[in-house]
Structure formats: C-alpha cells, structure tokens
Amino acid sequence: MALPYCLKILEEDLGDEFLQAVAFNLLYEGDHEKAKEIITRKLTNASTVLIGAIMDNLSTDSLQPFGESLSTEFLNAILERYLDLSDADKERIHDNYEWFKVSFEKKLSIM
C-alpha cells in the first residue's frame, strides 16, 4: 500500500532528502523496475542521501538476477553522479560508494 505514496514523494520531490531516501528504499523493495525508472529520471538532480540509498539498494542485489542485469552505462551514470558531488557530500555517503564500487567493480569503468 505504501508504494504509490513513495512514488508520489519521489516524483514530486516532496519532503527532505531523508524522506526521499526512505521512500526510495521502500519503492525499491516493492518494485525494482519502478525504482530503476525513478533512478533514470531523477539521477541528475538526486540529493546526496538519495544517491547513497540508490547505491545501497543496488549493491544489495548486485549478485541477484536484477543486479546482474544492470547495464554498465546505467551503473556508470550513478558513479558519475557521485563523482560530481562536492567533497563534503562525497564524505557523507562514502561508505555507500565503497560498497557500490566493490559490488559492481567488473562493470564500473571510472573510478
């Protein structure tokens, strides 16, 4: 029942970055494909905490069929967005980045 609300929060940029990250976590658990669509649409303007949540959720499934099906281009776009963050923002989600980097090391081309 929460998925439509999570989608609304993400699509309409409601709440702060923490609410959006929680909404993404719930959406991802309920519908990987819909979460992937959100990533594609929102990545350019995603907040630091949301980028961290994206990295964590994808890393969790990196050895699952969904994670293995993610394209190099898709994963590198997430990594590029992280690399575009300020140093302070990178530090906020450094652990998320490290896990993401290890989880997808064979698919990531920039590091």
Side-chain angles (χ1 to χ4, degrees):
M1 290 181 61
L3 295 184
Y5 297 107
C6 293
L7 195 56
K8 181 177 177 69
I9 289 167
L10 292 163
E11 288 180 335
E12 297 179 18
D13 290 323
L14 301 175
D16 64 11
E17 66 180 341
F18 298 101
L19 177 64
Q20 289 194 11
V22 170
F24 181 81
N25 290 339
L26 292 170
L27 179 65
Y28 185 86
E29 287 299 315
D31 189 338
H32 289 34
E33 291 300 327
K34 186 60 76 176
K36 185 178 175 188
E37 290 174 23
I38 289 292
I39 295 168
T40 301
R41 283 191 305 220
K42 293 192 56 77
L43 187 60
T44 303
N45 297 316
S47 70
T48 302
V49 176
L50 181 55
I51 294 167
I54 289 167
M55 288 178 164
D56 275 356
N57 281 283
L58 295 178
S59 296
T60 298
D61 284 339
S62 64
L63 299 176
Q64 301 303 317
F66 178 76
E68 290 179 342
S69 75
L70 297 172
S71 72
T72 298
E73 294 80 17
F74 179 79
L75 295 168
N76 277 305
I78 295 166
L79 180 57
E80 287 174 25
R81 178 65 177 101
Y82 170 82
L83 294 173
D84 286 342
L85 295 173
S86 70
D87 289 342
D89 283 340
K90 285 179 188 170
E91 185 60 33
R92 291 176 66 201
I93 60 169
H94 180 75
D95 291 343
N96 311 82
Y97 162 72
E98 288 296 326
W99 187 23
F100 183 76
K101 187 172 70 169
V102 169
S103 297
F104 293 105
E105 66 185 340
K106 293 179 182 171
K107 289 188 174 186
L108 296 174
S109 60
I110 54 175
M111 287 202 250

